Amino acid sequence: MRTNRIRTTALAATALVAALSLTACSGEDKALGTKPAGTAETATPAATSTDGTAQQDAPEAGAPETQTVPAEGKHAGGNGGSHSKKPETAPTAKPKAEAAASIPACTPKNSKVKVSSVTRPINHLLLTVTNTGSKDCAAYYAPFLRFDDAQAVYPILDDSKPQAVVVLSPGQKAYAGIGLLGEPGENKPVKSDNLGVIMVDKNNKSKGEATLKLPAETYTDGLGFVTYWQSDVDNALMF
């Protein structure tokens, strides 16, 4: 079953989410922004999309893995199978000479995050991060997610871990797929309105949270997953 592939990454991240909640309660630097579909810089398979803005950083420890950037903006050994209609051509990650560990993380300060609905696969959302800065940034690990006021971090799909960190030049994008439901009948789906997206650095420490407005009628049972950042939409939505 899919749940067997979700590892204990979420356990360590839960402490991070709790810390962020305390920070949010102090009233520091919390922002909420929305952006309808059709106004994004590049087209995605989304019917609805929203943009997030930065909140205060809240660190969390984590051990990184040394990874190199793959050629042609693709992850070596990645599966090109698609479960969704691919959007119009958009800039994708390119190979870099530098080691990924030496590149600054993509954060809410140098990038923009949005969430979009997709027609296929069903019960999925697409998360997109765009480098809006003037220098390269790396989309490390997987984003930590929380729906509405949840304290537990959303499960991360360990099987989606790529062979290399996705490095973005200015204007380029990376993607993560969100599965909304676990095994049928395990938990009752609940409607959610907002999504917190926590970006991390090479040490798996928080670099700020973006708060996004979810597409209308988004339901989750808390047993779904989010993938690691991928260099293309197909890989993000193949799980």
Side-chain angles (χ1 to χ4, degrees), residues 66-69 96-104 138 140 164-167 202:
T66 301
Q67 297 176 318
T68 58
V69 180
K96 305 294 175 184
E98 308 93 335
S102 67
I103 300 173
Y140 289 107
V165 173
V166 180
V167 178
K202 63 183 179 181

Side-chain angles (χ1 to χ4, degrees), residues 131-145:
N131 181 352
T132 57
S134 59
K135 299 179 179 180
D136 291 354
C137 70
Y140 289 107
Y141 298 97
F144 293 155
L145 304 182

Side-chain angles (χ1 to χ4, degrees), residues 181-193:
L181 302 176
E183 297 298 324
E186 290 191 21
N187 273 0
K188 181 179 179 180
V190 176
K191 184 178 179 181
S192 296
D193 297 316

Side-chain angles (χ1 to χ4, degrees), residues 70-71 74-78 162-164:
K74 302 283 186 178
H75 296 308
Q163 294 186 5

Side-chain angles (χ1 to χ4, degrees), residues 78-167:
N79 189 325
S82 173
H83 293 275
S84 66
K85 183 178 179 181
K86 199 166 184 178
E88 296 177 11
T89 302
T92 55
K94 296 178 181 178
K96 305 294 175 184
E98 308 93 335
S102 67
I103 300 173
C106 297
T107 74
K109 293 181 179 179
N110 63 15
S111 59
K112 181 183 294 184
V113 185
K114 71 177 181 180
V115 62
S116 307
S117 59
V118 295
T119 56
R120 290 182 180 277
I122 61 172
N123 299 321
H124 278 64
L125 297 175
L126 179 67
L127 203 62
T128 304
V129 59
T130 304
N131 181 352
T132 57
S134 59
K135 299 179 179 180
D136 291 354
C137 70
Y140 289 107
Y141 298 97
F144 293 155
L145 304 182
R146 54 178 175 178
F147 286 82
D148 291 329
D149 296 325
Q151 296 301 305
V153 74
Y154 207 60
I156 294 172
L157 185 62
D158 211 41
D159 283 358
S160 68
K161 185 176 181 180
Q163 294 186 5
V165 173
V166 180
V167 178

Side-chain angles (χ1 to χ4, degrees), residues 1 16 25 45-46 52 60 63 90 106 145 162 183:
M1 293 191 301
L16 167 62
C25 290
E60 171 66 19
C106 297
L145 304 182
E183 297 298 324

